[in-house]
CSV table of all heavy atoms in Angstrom, one decimal:
chain,number,residue,atom,x,y,z
A,1,LEU,N,9.5,4.5,-20.0
A,1,LEU,CA,9.4,5.4,-18.8
A,1,LEU,C,10.8,5.6,-18.2
A,1,LEU,O,11.2,6.8,-17.8
A,1,LEU,CB,8.5,4.7,-17.8
A,1,LEU,CG,8.1,5.6,-16.6
A,1,LEU,CD1,7.4,6.9,-17.0
A,1,LEU,CD2,7.2,4.8,-15.7
A,2,GLU,N,11.6,4.6,-18.2
A,2,GLU,CA,13.0,4.7,-17.7
A,2,GLU,C,13.8,5.7,-18.5
A,2,GLU,O,14.5,6.5,-17.9
A,2,GLU,CB,13.6,3.3,-17.7
A,2,GLU,CG,15.1,3.3,-17.2
A,2,GLU,CD,15.7,1.9,-17.4
A,2,GLU,OE1,15.0,0.9,-17.2
A,2,GLU,OE2,16.9,1.9,-17.6
A,3,VAL,N,13.6,5.7,-19.8
A,3,VAL,CA,14.4,6.6,-20.7
A,3,VAL,C,13.9,8.1,-20.3
A,3,VAL,O,14.7,9.0,-20.2
A,3,VAL,CB,14.1,6.3,-22.2
A,3,VAL,CG1,14.6,7.4,-23.1
A,3,VAL,CG2,14.8,5.0,-22.5
A,4,THR,N,12.6,8.2,-20.2
A,4,THR,CA,12.1,9.6,-19.9
A,4,THR,C,12.6,10.1,-18.6
A,4,THR,O,13.0,11.2,-18.4
A,4,THR,CB,10.5,9.5,-19.8
A,4,THR,OG1,10.0,9.1,-21.1
A,4,THR,CG2,9.9,10.9,-19.5
A,5,VAL,N,12.6,9.2,-17.5
A,5,VAL,CA,13.0,9.6,-16.2
A,5,VAL,C,14.5,9.9,-16.2
A,5,VAL,O,15.0,10.9,-15.6
A,5,VAL,CB,12.7,8.5,-15.2
A,5,VAL,CG1,13.3,8.8,-13.8
A,5,VAL,CG2,11.2,8.3,-15.0
A,6,ARG,N,15.3,9.1,-17.0
A,6,ARG,CA,16.7,9.3,-17.1
A,6,ARG,C,17.0,10.7,-17.7
A,6,ARG,O,17.9,11.4,-17.2
A,6,ARG,CB,17.4,8.2,-17.9
A,6,ARG,CG,18.9,8.4,-18.0
A,6,ARG,CD,19.6,7.5,-19.0
A,6,ARG,NE,19.2,6.1,-18.8
A,6,ARG,CZ,20.0,5.2,-18.1
A,6,ARG,NH1,21.1,5.6,-17.5
A,6,ARG,NH2,19.6,4.0,-18.0
A,7,GLU,N,16.2,11.1,-18.7
A,7,GLU,CA,16.4,12.3,-19.4
A,7,GLU,C,16.1,13.5,-18.5
A,7,GLU,O,16.7,14.6,-18.6
A,7,GLU,CB,15.6,12.4,-20.7
A,7,GLU,CG,16.1,11.4,-21.8
A,7,GLU,CD,15.2,11.4,-23.0
A,7,GLU,OE1,14.1,11.9,-22.9
A,7,GLU,OE2,15.6,10.7,-23.9
A,8,LEU,N,15.0,13.4,-17.7
A,8,LEU,CA,14.5,14.5,-17.0
A,8,LEU,C,15.0,14.7,-15.6
A,8,LEU,O,15.1,15.8,-15.1
A,8,LEU,CB,12.9,14.4,-16.9
A,8,LEU,CG,12.2,14.4,-18.3
A,8,LEU,CD1,10.7,14.2,-18.0
A,8,LEU,CD2,12.4,15.8,-19.0
A,9,CYS,N,15.3,13.6,-14.9
A,9,CYS,CA,15.7,13.7,-13.5
A,9,CYS,C,17.2,13.8,-13.3
A,9,CYS,O,18.0,13.5,-14.2
A,9,CYS,CB,15.2,12.5,-12.8
A,9,CYS,SG,13.4,12.4,-12.6
A,10,LYS,N,17.6,14.3,-12.1
A,10,LYS,CA,19.0,14.3,-11.7
A,10,LYS,C,19.5,12.8,-11.6
A,10,LYS,O,18.7,11.9,-11.3
A,10,LYS,CB,19.2,15.0,-10.4
A,10,LYS,CG,18.8,16.5,-10.5
A,10,LYS,CD,18.9,17.1,-9.1
A,10,LYS,CE,18.3,18.5,-9.1
A,10,LYS,NZ,18.1,19.0,-7.8
A,11,PRO,N,20.8,12.6,-11.7
A,11,PRO,CA,21.3,11.2,-11.6
A,11,PRO,C,20.9,10.5,-10.3
A,11,PRO,O,20.5,9.3,-10.3
A,11,PRO,CB,22.8,11.3,-11.7
A,11,PRO,CG,23.0,12.6,-12.5
A,11,PRO,CD,21.9,13.5,-12.1
A,12,ASN,N,21.0,11.2,-9.2
A,12,ASN,CA,20.6,10.5,-7.9
A,12,ASN,C,19.1,10.2,-7.8
A,12,ASN,O,18.7,9.2,-7.2
A,12,ASN,CB,21.1,11.4,-6.7
A,12,ASN,CG,20.4,12.7,-6.6
A,12,ASN,OD1,20.0,13.3,-7.6
A,12,ASN,ND2,20.1,13.2,-5.4
A,13,GLU,N,18.3,11.1,-8.4
A,13,GLU,CA,16.8,10.8,-8.4
A,13,GLU,C,16.5,9.7,-9.4
A,13,GLU,O,15.7,8.8,-9.0
A,13,GLU,CB,16.1,12.1,-8.9
A,13,GLU,CG,16.2,13.2,-7.9
A,13,GLU,CD,15.8,14.6,-8.5
A,13,GLU,OE1,15.9,14.8,-9.7
A,13,GLU,OE2,15.3,15.4,-7.7
A,14,PHE,N,17.2,9.6,-10.5
A,14,PHE,CA,17.0,8.5,-11.4
A,14,PHE,C,17.4,7.2,-10.7
A,14,PHE,O,16.7,6.1,-10.8
A,14,PHE,CB,17.9,8.7,-12.7
A,14,PHE,CG,17.8,7.5,-13.6
A,14,PHE,CD1,16.7,7.2,-14.3
A,14,PHE,CD2,18.9,6.7,-13.7
A,14,PHE,CE1,16.6,6.0,-15.1
A,14,PHE,CE2,18.9,5.6,-14.6
A,14,PHE,CZ,17.8,5.2,-15.3
A,15,GLU,N,18.5,7.2,-10.0
A,15,GLU,CA,19.0,6.0,-9.2
A,15,GLU,C,17.9,5.6,-8.2
A,15,GLU,O,17.6,4.4,-8.1
A,15,GLU,CB,20.3,6.3,-8.5
A,15,GLU,CG,21.0,5.1,-8.0
A,15,GLU,CD,21.4,4.1,-9.1
A,15,GLU,OE1,21.7,4.5,-10.2
A,15,GLU,OE2,21.3,2.9,-8.8
A,16,ARG,N,17.3,6.5,-7.5
A,16,ARG,CA,16.2,6.2,-6.6
A,16,ARG,C,15.1,5.5,-7.3
A,16,ARG,O,14.5,4.6,-6.8
A,16,ARG,CB,15.7,7.5,-5.9
A,16,ARG,CG,16.3,7.7,-4.6
A,16,ARG,CD,15.6,8.9,-4.0
A,16,ARG,NE,15.4,8.6,-2.6
A,16,ARG,CZ,15.3,9.5,-1.6
A,16,ARG,NH1,15.3,10.8,-2.0
A,16,ARG,NH2,15.1,9.2,-0.4
A,17,TYR,N,14.7,6.1,-8.4
A,17,TYR,CA,13.6,5.5,-9.2
A,17,TYR,C,13.9,4.0,-9.6
A,17,TYR,O,13.1,3.1,-9.4
A,17,TYR,CB,13.4,6.4,-10.5
A,17,TYR,CG,12.5,5.7,-11.5
A,17,TYR,CD1,11.1,5.7,-11.4
A,17,TYR,CD2,13.0,5.0,-12.6
A,17,TYR,CE1,10.3,5.0,-12.3
A,17,TYR,CE2,12.2,4.4,-13.5
A,17,TYR,CZ,10.9,4.4,-13.4
A,17,TYR,OH,10.1,3.8,-14.3
A,18,MET,N,15.2,3.8,-10.1
A,18,MET,CA,15.6,2.5,-10.6
A,18,MET,C,15.6,1.5,-9.4
A,18,MET,O,15.2,0.3,-9.5
A,18,MET,CB,16.9,2.5,-11.3
A,18,MET,CG,16.9,3.3,-12.6
A,18,MET,SD,15.7,2.6,-13.8
A,18,MET,CE,16.4,0.9,-14.0
A,19,MET,N,16.1,1.9,-8.3
A,19,MET,CA,16.1,1.1,-7.1
A,19,MET,C,14.7,0.7,-6.7
A,19,MET,O,14.4,-0.5,-6.3
A,19,MET,CB,16.9,1.7,-5.9
A,19,MET,CG,18.4,1.7,-6.1
A,19,MET,SD,19.3,2.5,-4.7
A,19,MET,CE,18.7,1.6,-3.4
A,20,PHE,N,13.8,1.7,-6.7
A,20,PHE,CA,12.4,1.4,-6.3
A,20,PHE,C,11.8,0.4,-7.3
A,20,PHE,O,11.2,-0.6,-6.8
A,20,PHE,CB,11.6,2.7,-6.3
A,20,PHE,CG,10.1,2.4,-6.3
A,20,PHE,CD1,9.5,1.9,-5.2
A,20,PHE,CD2,9.3,2.6,-7.5
A,20,PHE,CE1,8.1,1.6,-5.2
A,20,PHE,CE2,8.0,2.3,-7.5
A,20,PHE,CZ,7.4,1.7,-6.3
A,21,ILE,N,11.9,0.6,-8.6
A,21,ILE,CA,11.4,-0.3,-9.6
A,21,ILE,C,11.9,-1.7,-9.4
A,21,ILE,O,11.2,-2.7,-9.4
A,21,ILE,CB,11.6,0.2,-11.0
A,21,ILE,CG1,10.8,1.5,-11.2
A,21,ILE,CG2,11.2,-0.9,-12.1
A,21,ILE,CD1,9.3,1.4,-11.1
A,22,GLY,N,13.2,-1.8,-9.2
A,22,GLY,CA,13.9,-3.1,-9.0
A,22,GLY,C,13.4,-3.8,-7.7
A,22,GLY,O,13.1,-5.0,-7.7
A,23,ASP,N,13.2,-3.1,-6.7
A,23,ASP,CA,12.8,-3.6,-5.4
A,23,ASP,C,11.3,-4.0,-5.4
A,23,ASP,O,10.9,-4.9,-4.7
A,23,ASP,CB,13.1,-2.7,-4.2
A,23,ASP,CG,14.6,-2.5,-3.9
A,23,ASP,OD1,15.4,-3.4,-4.4
A,23,ASP,OD2,15.0,-1.6,-3.2
A,24,LEU,N,10.5,-3.3,-6.2
A,24,LEU,CA,9.1,-3.5,-6.3
A,24,LEU,C,8.9,-5.0,-6.7
A,24,LEU,O,8.2,-5.7,-6.0
A,24,LEU,CB,8.5,-2.6,-7.4
A,24,LEU,CG,7.0,-2.9,-7.7
A,24,LEU,CD1,6.1,-2.6,-6.5
A,24,LEU,CD2,6.6,-2.0,-8.9
A,25,GLU,N,9.5,-5.4,-7.7
A,25,GLU,CA,9.4,-6.8,-8.2
A,25,GLU,C,9.9,-7.8,-7.1
A,25,GLU,O,9.2,-8.8,-6.8
A,25,GLU,CB,10.1,-7.0,-9.5
A,25,GLU,CG,9.8,-8.4,-10.1
A,25,GLU,CD,10.3,-8.5,-11.5
A,25,GLU,OE1,10.5,-7.5,-12.2
A,25,GLU,OE2,10.4,-9.7,-12.0
A,26,LYS,N,11.0,-7.5,-6.5
A,26,LYS,CA,11.6,-8.4,-5.5
A,26,LYS,C,10.7,-8.6,-4.3
A,26,LYS,O,10.4,-9.7,-3.8
A,26,LYS,CB,13.0,-7.9,-5.1
A,26,LYS,CG,14.0,-8.0,-6.1
A,26,LYS,CD,15.3,-7.4,-5.7
A,26,LYS,CE,16.3,-7.2,-6.8
A,26,LYS,NZ,17.3,-6.3,-6.5
A,27,VAL,N,10.2,-7.4,-3.8
A,27,VAL,CA,9.4,-7.5,-2.6
A,27,VAL,C,8.0,-8.2,-2.8
A,27,VAL,O,7.6,-9.0,-2.1
A,27,VAL,CB,9.2,-6.1,-2.0
A,27,VAL,CG1,8.2,-6.1,-0.8
A,27,VAL,CG2,10.5,-5.6,-1.5
A,28,VAL,N,7.4,-7.8,-3.9
A,28,VAL,CA,6.1,-8.4,-4.3
A,28,VAL,C,6.3,-9.9,-4.5
A,28,VAL,O,5.5,-10.7,-4.0
A,28,VAL,CB,5.4,-7.7,-5.5
A,28,VAL,CG1,4.2,-8.5,-6.0
A,28,VAL,CG2,5.0,-6.3,-5.2
A,29,SER,N,7.3,-10.3,-5.2
A,29,SER,CA,7.6,-11.7,-5.4
A,29,SER,C,7.8,-12.5,-4.1
A,29,SER,O,7.4,-13.6,-3.9
A,29,SER,CB,8.7,-11.9,-6.4
A,29,SER,OG,8.4,-11.4,-7.7
A,30,LEU,N,8.6,-11.8,-3.2
A,30,LEU,CA,8.9,-12.4,-1.9
A,30,LEU,C,7.6,-12.6,-1.1
A,30,LEU,O,7.4,-13.7,-0.6
A,30,LEU,CB,9.9,-11.6,-1.1
A,30,LEU,CG,10.2,-12.0,0.3
A,30,LEU,CD1,10.9,-13.3,0.3
A,30,LEU,CD2,11.0,-10.9,1.0
A,31,LEU,N,6.8,-11.6,-1.1
A,31,LEU,CA,5.5,-11.7,-0.4
A,31,LEU,C,4.6,-12.8,-0.9
A,31,LEU,O,4.1,-13.6,-0.1
A,31,LEU,CB,4.7,-10.4,-0.4
A,31,LEU,CG,4.8,-9.5,0.8
A,31,LEU,CD1,4.2,-8.2,0.5
A,31,LEU,CD2,4.2,-10.2,2.0
A,32,LEU,N,4.5,-12.9,-2.2
A,32,LEU,CA,3.7,-13.9,-2.8
A,32,LEU,C,4.3,-15.3,-2.6
A,32,LEU,O,3.5,-16.3,-2.2
A,32,LEU,CB,3.7,-13.7,-4.3
A,32,LEU,CG,2.9,-12.5,-4.8
A,32,LEU,CD1,3.1,-12.3,-6.3
A,32,LEU,CD2,1.4,-12.6,-4.5
A,33,CYS,N,5.6,-15.5,-2.6
A,33,CYS,CA,6.2,-16.8,-2.4
A,33,CYS,C,6.0,-17.2,-0.9
A,33,CYS,O,5.6,-18.4,-0.7
A,33,CYS,CB,7.7,-16.7,-2.7
A,33,CYS,SG,8.6,-18.2,-2.4
A,34,LEU,N,6.2,-16.3,0.0
A,34,LEU,CA,6.0,-16.7,1.4
A,34,LEU,C,4.6,-17.0,1.7
A,34,LEU,O,4.3,-17.9,2.5
A,34,LEU,CB,6.6,-15.5,2.3
A,34,LEU,CG,8.1,-15.3,2.3
A,34,LEU,CD1,8.4,-14.1,3.1
A,34,LEU,CD2,8.8,-16.5,3.0
A,35,SER,N,3.7,-16.2,1.2
A,35,SER,CA,2.3,-16.5,1.4
A,35,SER,C,1.9,-17.9,0.9
A,35,SER,O,1.1,-18.6,1.5
A,35,SER,CB,1.4,-15.4,0.7
A,35,SER,OG,1.6,-14.2,1.4
A,36,SER,N,2.4,-18.2,-0.3
A,36,SER,CA,2.1,-19.5,-0.9
A,36,SER,C,2.7,-20.6,-0.1
A,36,SER,O,2.0,-21.6,0.2
A,36,SER,CB,2.7,-19.5,-2.3
A,36,SER,OG,2.6,-20.8,-2.9
A,37,ARG,N,3.9,-20.5,0.3
A,37,ARG,CA,4.5,-21.5,1.2
A,37,ARG,C,3.8,-21.7,2.5
A,37,ARG,O,3.6,-22.8,3.0
A,37,ARG,CB,6.0,-21.2,1.4
A,37,ARG,CG,6.8,-21.4,0.1
A,37,ARG,CD,8.2,-20.9,0.3
A,37,ARG,NE,8.9,-21.7,1.3
A,37,ARG,CZ,10.1,-21.4,1.8
A,37,ARG,NH1,10.7,-20.2,1.5
A,37,ARG,NH2,10.7,-22.1,2.7
A,38,LEU,N,3.4,-20.5,3.1
A,38,LEU,CA,2.7,-20.6,4.3
A,38,LEU,C,1.3,-21.3,4.2
A,38,LEU,O,0.9,-22.1,5.0
A,38,LEU,CB,2.5,-19.1,4.9
A,38,LEU,CG,1.9,-19.0,6.3
A,38,LEU,CD1,2.7,-19.7,7.3
A,38,LEU,CD2,1.7,-17.5,6.6
A,39,ALA,N,0.6,-21.0,3.1
A,39,ALA,CA,-0.7,-21.7,2.8
A,39,ALA,C,-0.5,-23.2,2.7
A,39,ALA,O,-1.3,-24.0,3.2
A,39,ALA,CB,-1.3,-21.1,1.5
A,40,ARG,N,0.6,-23.6,2.0
A,40,ARG,CA,0.8,-25.0,1.9
A,40,ARG,C,1.1,-25.7,3.2
A,40,ARG,O,0.6,-26.8,3.5
A,40,ARG,CB,2.0,-25.3,0.9
A,40,ARG,CG,1.6,-25.2,-0.5
A,40,ARG,CD,2.6,-25.8,-1.5
A,40,ARG,NE,3.9,-25.1,-1.4
A,40,ARG,CZ,4.3,-24.1,-2.2
A,40,ARG,NH1,3.4,-23.6,-3.0
A,40,ARG,NH2,5.5,-23.6,-2.1
A,41,VAL,N,1.8,-25.0,4.1
A,41,VAL,CA,2.1,-25.5,5.4
A,41,VAL,C,0.8,-25.6,6.2
A,41,VAL,O,0.5,-26.6,6.9
A,41,VAL,CB,3.2,-24.7,6.2
A,41,VAL,CG1,3.3,-25.1,7.6
A,41,VAL,CG2,4.5,-24.9,5.5
A,42,GLN,N,0.0,-24.5,6.1
A,42,GLN,CA,-1.3,-24.5,6.9
A,42,GLN,C,-2.2,-25.7,6.4
A,42,GLN,O,-2.9,-26.3,7.2
A,42,GLN,CB,-2.0,-23.2,6.7
A,42,GLN,CG,-1.3,-22.1,7.5
A,42,GLN,CD,-1.8,-20.7,7.1
A,42,GLN,OE1,-2.3,-20.4,6.1
A,42,GLN,NE2,-1.6,-19.8,8.1
A,43,ASN,N,-2.2,-25.9,5.1
A,43,ASN,CA,-3.0,-27.1,4.6
A,43,ASN,C,-2.5,-28.4,5.1
A,43,ASN,O,-3.3,-29.2,5.5
A,43,ASN,CB,-3.0,-27.1,3.0
A,43,ASN,CG,-3.8,-26.0,2.4
A,43,ASN,OD1,-4.7,-25.5,3.0
A,43,ASN,ND2,-3.5,-25.7,1.2
A,44,ALA,N,-1.2,-28.5,5.2
A,44,ALA,CA,-0.6,-29.8,5.7
A,44,ALA,C,-1.0,-29.9,7.2
A,44,ALA,O,-1.2,-31.0,7.7
A,44,ALA,CB,0.9,-29.8,5.5
A,45,MET,N,-1.0,-28.8,7.9
A,45,MET,CA,-1.3,-28.8,9.4
A,45,MET,C,-2.8,-29.2,9.6
A,45,MET,O,-3.1,-29.9,10.5
A,45,MET,CB,-1.1,-27.4,10.0
A,45,MET,CG,0.4,-27.1,10.1
A,45,MET,SD,0.7,-25.5,10.8
A,45,MET,CE,0.5,-25.8,12.5
A,46,ARG,N,-3.7,-28.8,8.6
A,46,ARG,CA,-5.1,-29.2,8.7
A,46,ARG,C,-5.3,-30.7,8.5
A,46,ARG,O,-6.3,-31.3,9.0
A,46,ARG,CB,-5.9,-28.5,7.7
A,46,ARG,CG,-6.3,-27.1,8.1
A,46,ARG,CD,-7.4,-26.5,7.2
A,46,ARG,NE,-7.3,-25.1,6.8
A,46,ARG,CZ,-6.4,-24.6,6.0
A,46,ARG,NH1,-5.6,-25.2,5.4
A,46,ARG,NH2,-6.5,-23.3,5.8
A,47,ARG,N,-4.3,-31.3,7.8
A,47,ARG,CA,-4.4,-32.8,7.6
A,47,ARG,C,-3.8,-33.6,8.7
A,47,ARG,O,-3.9,-34.8,8.7
A,47,ARG,CB,-3.7,-33.1,6.3
A,47,ARG,CG,-4.5,-32.6,5.1
A,47,ARG,CD,-3.9,-33.2,3.8
A,47,ARG,NE,-2.5,-32.8,3.5
A,47,ARG,CZ,-2.1,-31.7,2.8
A,47,ARG,NH1,-3.0,-30.9,2.3
A,47,ARG,NH2,-0.8,-31.5,2.7
A,48,ILE,N,-3.3,-32.9,9.7
A,48,ILE,CA,-2.7,-33.6,10.9
A,48,ILE,C,-3.9,-34.4,11.6
A,48,ILE,O,-4.9,-33.8,11.9
A,48,ILE,CB,-2.0,-32.7,11.9
A,48,ILE,CG1,-0.7,-32.1,11.2
A,48,ILE,CG2,-1.7,-33.3,13.2
A,48,ILE,CD1,0.0,-31.1,12.1
């Protein structure tokens, strides 16, 4: 898909696409990590 987008889009549009794809993984991973850590803390708080 990246090859196709690079061939068809203007360079600045391709850059926007690449930034979005890169940030997608980072933001989803961050959300999952924080949710997991928060759940562990909440479990520990229930054991108080």
